[in-house]
Amino acid sequence: MNNLVILPIAIPLLTAIILIFFARKIVVQRYISAISMLLNVIVAFMLIQQVYENGVQTLNVGNWPAPFGITLVSDMLSALLVLTTTIVGFAVTLYSFQSIGEDREKYYYYTFVQFLLAGVIGAFTTGDIFNLFVFFEIMLMASYVLLVLGGSKIQLRETIKYLTVNVVSSAFFVIGIAFLYSIVGTLNMAHISQRIAELTEFPGILTVIAVLFLIVFGLKGAIFPLYFWLPGSYYAPPVPVMALFGALLTKVGVYSIIRTFTLFFYHDKGYTHDILLVLAIITVLIGVVGSIAYWDIKKIIIYNIITAIGVILYGVSIATDTGFSGSLYYLIHDMVIKAALFLLIGIIIKVTGTANLKQFSGLIKTYPVLAWTYFIAAISLAGIPPFSGFFGKLLVIQSGFEANEFIGAVIILITSLITLYSVMKIFIYGFWGEAKGYNSEQKISYKALLFPAILLVAVSVIYGFGTEVVYPYISNAAETLTNPDIYIEAVLKE
Amino acid sequence: MEILVAILAGFLIASATYLLLSKSILRMIVGTGLLSHGAHLLILTMGGLKKGAVPLVNKEGLPVSDPLPQALILTAIVISFGVTALFLVVAYRGYQELGTDNMDELKGTEGNE
């Protein structure tokens, strides 16, 4: 029992409610949301320290004993993801001050950002499968509104598509929960895991439900062949919203896949994990093909999201200690660096007025700080040592070779090169060369926009250089994944 | 009884799939309504349809039907109600701004040049 577990959900939720009352007072809104995000970062650090010292933290809401009430569970994986979410949320909030525009700010923009964060953090923390559905819907509802807020033509068009896809996937989630409930008769995740383990022969129906859950979370997390909605929908909203979506939304789907496939469906690995393996590899390939095909800087980064999801799920499908450590390391790195990259290309678009890479070049002469920050972010993404993308990918590939899955590991190695090419293309064509496509005489002030981006890149660099410091936390999280009994015992405490 | 309701839910979901694949946005919204009806019926069926009293406190101590799926449905209904309301408004705004109800005319070519 520990109330610290619920604080990261409660803080954004209360902030969102308070912000509703200050809709027309933009400065007050900015102060309140920035302070509450900062507070949440501190709380998340405290939570991680507590989980590290005392093991998995649980909170039975309303003092009902474990399988009967809703339990909130913070193991190391969810605590780390909560911390990353709050850091990304803080940086994006700061970035929004300068870039989102008064019209959107007056119409409850910060409220919806806070609701989105409450949904994401809740989904990371909950220990109840139906509660996970509810937090998914909180997150999705906020994301629909953030996507359509402003009401331009492209936003309306893409929101209709995004809404349709997510309504269908939510209905399938409900159906999946109904099937699972009819077999195990419980909704508490730890209790479900225990009941499934008691069904001595892993029956075929559970494999069917596992695949149904894979389809549902794959739709949220954009894995092949369910990624089709992502490139269009993420193209439409303004840059800070895009950064939030790219960093957080798909990762919630990935987290849910990790959670269900390590806690529920780990008995019939030969079937379910092989599907995951093949889908992960094809997802990586689809992502890199998209990222080299386009000359639009937003599209390039959007397809890099899909690549990263493939890499993370490849490590998960190997399901060894090394694989999980690598995946988690890469997951956290990717959330930070994708947000940073979106914020940086947002600055580029503000400076040049276009997202088309063929229309501008030579930015480095007028904007050297922006250029070198982007350069560091780009090579971190590709996984050049000692930056943050390196160690996660190293562990993922190592686990692939250890499990004799050579094809996948080699594909991930080669696609790292293509990823590097796709982001370096922006650097070479956009920053080098003749100064054209923008006003090089008059320097546009972008300090306030650059600060949150530099903050995120700095976090990522520290994360890369401080591998030794971070590693015990990551391996602690991986230990809970390979050994679900730790999770079950912490929740059900016989 | 479960078989009958399962067939009904399957029929609803089949109709929903057919409507979701049509061109008109309004038909798609009707499809999402039917889809959530099918899903909700399925939760109720999966909880078991045995005969029992209403799940209220009864003095006779009669066996009651499972209250948990009913709570789940109540939650899911409210959520899908909210999402449908938003979807309808977005479709209305989309009709005003884009001037069409045809999904085929909502193609985007950004970033493709």
Side-chain angles (χ1 to χ4, degrees), chain A residues 228-354:
Chain A
F228 53 86
W229 54 273
L230 186 135
S233 301
Y234 281 23
Y235 194 87
V239 170
V241 178
M242 207 190 279
L244 270 184
F245 284 17
L248 305 178
L249 292 196
T250 50
K251 307 305 184 295
V252 179
V254 172
Y255 164 81
S256 308
I257 291 176
I258 297 176
R259 186 58 88 202
T260 47
F261 278 73
T262 56
L263 195 58
F264 301 171
F265 309 116
Y266 58 91
H267 301 278
D268 189 15
K269 276 186 185 154
Y271 189 75
T272 49
H273 285 58
D274 274 2
I275 292 180
L276 200 57
L277 184 87
V278 174
L279 291 185
I281 293 170
I282 303 177
T283 310
V284 172
L285 289 175
I286 292 287
V288 292
V289 168
S291 65
I292 52 174
Y294 285 96
W295 283 86
D296 184 301
I297 53 179
K298 286 201 237 172
K299 275 270 154 74
I300 293 172
I301 309 294
I302 286 171
Y303 273 97
N304 272 315
I305 300 176
I306 301 176
T307 317
I309 286 163
V311 174
I312 296 164
L313 288 181
Y314 179 77
V316 173
S317 71
I318 299 290
T320 58
D321 223 9
T322 330
F324 284 132
S325 305
S327 285
L328 300 186
Y329 205 92
Y330 199 76
L331 176 59
I332 293 165
H333 143 78
D334 190 62
M335 286 168 80
V336 174
I337 207 72
K338 282 290 143 57
L341 277 171
F342 275 118
L343 298 186
L344 286 168
I345 63 164
I347 300 172
I348 298 176
I349 291 170
K350 187 182 159 67
V351 167
T352 61
T354 175

Side-chain angles (χ1 to χ4, degrees), chain A residues 157 161 179 181 235 294 299, chain B residues 46 66 106 108 110-112:
Chain A
R157 199 181 70 206
K161 297 172 192 170
F179 282 145
Y181 180 72
Y235 194 87
Y294 285 96
K299 275 270 154 74
Chain B
M46 288 298 162
D66 190 352
L106 296 184
E110 290 87 6
N112 276 337

Side-chain angles (χ1 to χ4, degrees), chain A residues 33-336:
Chain A
S33 47
I35 290 169
S36 102
M37 284 317 304
L38 201 58
L39 194 67
N40 218 354
V41 174
I42 296 166
V43 170
F45 266 115
M46 284 162 62
L47 182 63
I48 283 191
Q49 208 50 41
Q50 201 165 65
V51 174
Y52 188 63
E53 278 161 12
N54 306 325
V56 181
Q57 298 292 304
T58 62
L59 172 68
N60 292 327
V61 181
N63 254 338
W64 293 92
F68 305 112
I70 287 173
T71 314
L72 298 177
V73 188
S74 235
D75 62 346
M76 188 49 88
L77 168 61
S78 60
L80 284 171
L81 290 176
V82 166
L83 176 66
T84 321
T85 307
T86 51
I87 291 174
V88 169
F90 179 60
V92 172
T93 308
L94 289 186
Y95 190 90
S96 305
F97 294 167
Q98 295 298 317
S99 75
I100 200 75
E102 281 195 11
D103 291 343
R104 286 195 172 89
E105 282 177 307
K106 273 185 187 162
Y107 285 94
Y108 307 99
Y109 171 77
Y110 294 112
T111 312
F112 285 110
V113 171
Q114 297 287 336
F115 273 129
L116 183 85
L117 291 169
V120 171
I121 293 171
F124 287 148
T125 318
T126 186
D128 182 287
I129 192 82
F130 195 77
N131 201 227
L132 179 67
F133 165 74
V134 175
F135 276 121
F136 259 114
E137 289 301 311
I138 294 174
M139 173 188 96
L140 288 172
M141 270 296 237
S143 74
Y144 302 146
V145 178
L146 283 175
L147 184 55
V148 81
L149 193 67
S152 65
K153 280 186 179 170
I154 174 172
Q155 283 178 304
L156 284 164
R157 199 181 70 206
E158 295 303 333
T159 307
I160 290 170
K161 297 172 192 170
Y162 182 71
L163 258 164
T164 316
V165 168
N166 280 301
V167 167
V168 172
S169 83
S170 297
F172 275 108
F173 197 1
V174 172
I175 291 170
I177 292 172
F179 282 145
L180 195 59
Y181 180 72
S182 77
I183 291 168
V184 295
T186 177
L187 294 169
N188 183 297
M189 288 193 195
H191 202 212
I192 291 175
S193 172
Q194 212 178 31
R195 288 272 177 89
I196 287 178
E198 279 166 11
L199 299 167
T200 41
E201 277 176 45
F202 193 72
I205 184 74
L206 281 171
T207 312
V208 175
I209 296 170
V211 174
L212 187 57
F213 273 59
L214 184 62
I215 292 170
V216 170
F217 297 137
L219 259 171
K220 314 269 187 202
I223 63 176
F224 173 85
L226 306 163
Y227 69 95
F228 53 86
W229 54 273
L230 186 135
S233 301
Y234 281 23
Y235 194 87
V239 170
V241 178
M242 207 190 279
L244 270 184
F245 284 17
L248 305 178
L249 292 196
T250 50
K251 307 305 184 295
V252 179
V254 172
Y255 164 81
S256 308
I257 291 176
I258 297 176
R259 186 58 88 202
T260 47
F261 278 73
T262 56
L263 195 58
F264 301 171
F265 309 116
Y266 58 91
H267 301 278
D268 189 15
K269 276 186 185 154
Y271 189 75
T272 49
H273 285 58
D274 274 2
I275 292 180
L276 200 57
L277 184 87
V278 174
L279 291 185
I281 293 170
I282 303 177
T283 310
V284 172
L285 289 175
I286 292 287
V288 292
V289 168
S291 65
I292 52 174
Y294 285 96
W295 283 86
D296 184 301
I297 53 179
K298 286 201 237 172
K299 275 270 154 74
I300 293 172
I301 309 294
I302 286 171
Y303 273 97
N304 272 315
I305 300 176
I306 301 176
T307 317
I309 286 163
V311 174
I312 296 164
L313 288 181
Y314 179 77
V316 173
S317 71
I318 299 290
T320 58
D321 223 9
T322 330
F324 284 132
S325 305
S327 285
L328 300 186
Y329 205 92
Y330 199 76
L331 176 59
I332 293 165
H333 143 78
D334 190 62
M335 286 168 80
V336 174

